[in-house]
């Protein structure tokens, strides 16, 4: 049995980053474990129908329920919440909260994640890239923790009380590529003459896509990922741009999710479109 552990910053990140891929592997028999660092308390209510005082007052509770529902849709067998508070963006009041993820002792966070890696013994770990396009402090911290946990979990001298060492084979980051955005934009123009993604392309920066990507074919699982994202009712606008692109258009124009390989103990990917390429599940 292949095993995968995904580390995410907030509820809804597991559904907006690689959900179709995890759903595909879970359906194929892989054990998939989700670790979510924060409760998402500082997030905005992006669904206009739910932007009410009673919802904002219960946001942490609601986001946890949404997370559990989305994880079930994707197929995660275990959901582990680290319980830190959403740090918010720099300069905001949540960023200075003592319980915020970014204010937790780093070695404490790292040891907890190392313990989960050693307990679950994943072959593949999902973390984050440098998040240049969206430098949320919690996302930047997940990037750092994922890289350090990948190494520390294999080192018997690090955190001996956290369990027996385990060497995960590979560490990936799900990435949103301009290639995908452009393909879907063009497909919508051809289909309807208009594209709900036009504004996104106009805001495109100069940063190119990573040169080497592993593209996972998620045809048949696009709808699953979209259903998981829609389960985060407080966090997504059901009439937003991504939901305006029909599933059949996605599967015809760009039926992939893209991943950047951050570390590997089994060599580079050969481009076969499998996160478990080169991994012996024995």
């Amino acid at each position: 049995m292949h095993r995968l552990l995904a580390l995410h910053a907030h509820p809804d990140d597991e559904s907006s980053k690689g959900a179709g891929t995890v759903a595909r592997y879970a359906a194929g028999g892989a054990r998939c474990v989700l670790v979510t660092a924060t409760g998402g308390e500082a997030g905005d209510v992006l669904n206009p129908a739910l932007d009410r005082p009673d919802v904002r007052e219960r946001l942490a509770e609601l986001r946890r329920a949404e997370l559990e529902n989305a994880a079930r849709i994707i197929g995660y067998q275990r959901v582990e919440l680290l319980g830190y508070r959403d740090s918010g963006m720099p300069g905001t009041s949540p960023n200075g909260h003592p319980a915020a993820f970014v204010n937790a002792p780093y070695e404490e966070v790292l040891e907890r994640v190392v313990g989960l890696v050693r307990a679950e013994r994943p072959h593949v770990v999902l973390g984050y890239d440098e998040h240049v396009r969206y430098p949320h402090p919690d996302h930047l911290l997940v990037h750092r923790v994922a890289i350090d946990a990948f190494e520390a979990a294999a080192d018997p001298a690090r955190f001996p009380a956290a369990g027996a060492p385990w060497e995960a084979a590979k560490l990936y980051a799900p990435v949103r590529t301009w290639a995908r955005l452009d393909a879907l934009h063009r497909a919508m123009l051809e289909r309807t003459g208009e594209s709900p993604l036009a504004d996104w392309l106009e805001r495109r920066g100069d940063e190119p896509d990573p040169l080497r990507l592993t593209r996972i074919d998620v045809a048949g699982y696009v709808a699953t990922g979209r259903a998981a994202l829609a389960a985060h009712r407080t966090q997504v606008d059901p009439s937003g741009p991504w939901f305006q692109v029909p599933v059949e258009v996605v599967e015809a124009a760009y039926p992939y999710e893209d991943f950047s390989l951050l570390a590997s103990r089994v060599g580079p990917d050969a481009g076969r479109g499998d996160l478990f390429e080169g991994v012996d599940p024995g």
Side-chain angles (χ1 to χ4, degrees):
M1 179 191 293
H2 283 129
R3 298 182 296 274
L4 178 149
L5 183 146
L7 177 62
H8 285 285
H10 312 105
D12 79 59
D13 288 329
E14 84 296 328
S15 298
S16 62
K17 301 172 181 62
T21 297
V22 176
R24 169 186 156 180
Y25 285 125
R31 176 170 173 80
C32 299
V33 172
L34 171 63
V35 180
T36 301
T38 80
E41 300 88 345
D44 295 324
V45 178
L46 300 178
N47 183 346
L50 294 177
D51 191 7
R52 308 188 306 262
D54 62 308
V55 170
R56 291 191 292 271
E57 290 169 2
R58 301 173 52 229
L59 192 56
E61 173 191 347
L62 293 172
R63 295 204 69 183
R64 176 165 185 159
E66 291 169 350
L67 173 66
E68 292 172 350
N69 189 22
R72 177 189 56 78
I73 292 169
I74 294 168
Y76 280 106
Q77 285 94 339
R78 177 183 178 186
V79 177
E80 188 72 23
L81 284 78
L82 296 183
Y84 298 106
R85 199 176 191 280
D86 187 337
S87 304
M89 296 301 285
T92 64
S93 58
N95 200 241
H97 196 289
F101 185 37
V102 293
N103 296 323
Y106 185 72
E107 290 295 294
E108 169 198 291
V109 175
L110 183 58
E111 182 171 12
R112 294 183 65 189
V113 176
V114 165
L116 288 166
V117 171
R118 289 175 176 173
E120 290 293 339
R121 300 164 65 87
H123 303 101
V124 166
V125 176
L126 301 184
Y128 289 171
D129 64 1
E130 296 87 348
H131 264 60
V132 173
R133 296 174 186 164
Y134 181 60
H136 191 295
D138 290 335
H139 289 241
L140 299 178
L141 185 52
V142 164
H143 168 66
R144 179 186 174 193
V145 170
I147 290 174
D148 288 350
F150 182 83
E151 297 298 335
D155 185 349
R158 300 291 305 278
F159 310 115
W166 173 253
E167 289 189 351
K170 294 195 280 186
L171 171 65
Y172 286 95
V175 292
R176 295 177 178 175
T177 60
W178 292 119
R180 178 176 185 270
L181 181 65
D182 188 61
L184 299 181
H185 170 70
R186 292 176 181 274
M188 288 299 292
L189 289 179
E190 292 176 4
R191 180 184 175 105
T192 68
E194 297 180 339
S195 169
L197 305 177
D199 288 344
W200 285 68
L201 280 172
E202 288 180 4
R203 296 196 298 270
R204 176 175 177 168
D206 295 330
E207 183 199 6
D209 287 335
L211 293 176
R212 298 189 65 178
L213 290 170
T214 299
R215 287 193 166 96
I216 306 300
D217 188 337
V218 293
Y221 296 96
V222 173
T224 303
R226 186 164 292 186
L229 186 58
H232 290 279
R233 297 180 62 245
T234 63
Q235 292 300 295
V236 298
D237 182 350
S239 63
W242 292 107
F243 290 96
Q244 294 177 38
V245 182
V247 168
E248 61 270 22
V249 171
V250 176
E251 296 203 341
Y254 201 92
Y256 309 108
E257 290 178 342
D258 299 317
F259 295 81
S260 177
L261 182 63
L262 302 183
S264 174
R265 294 187 170 95
V266 293
D269 286 352
R272 296 189 179 92
D274 182 7
L275 299 185
F276 292 101
E277 180 184 338
V279 173
D280 180 1

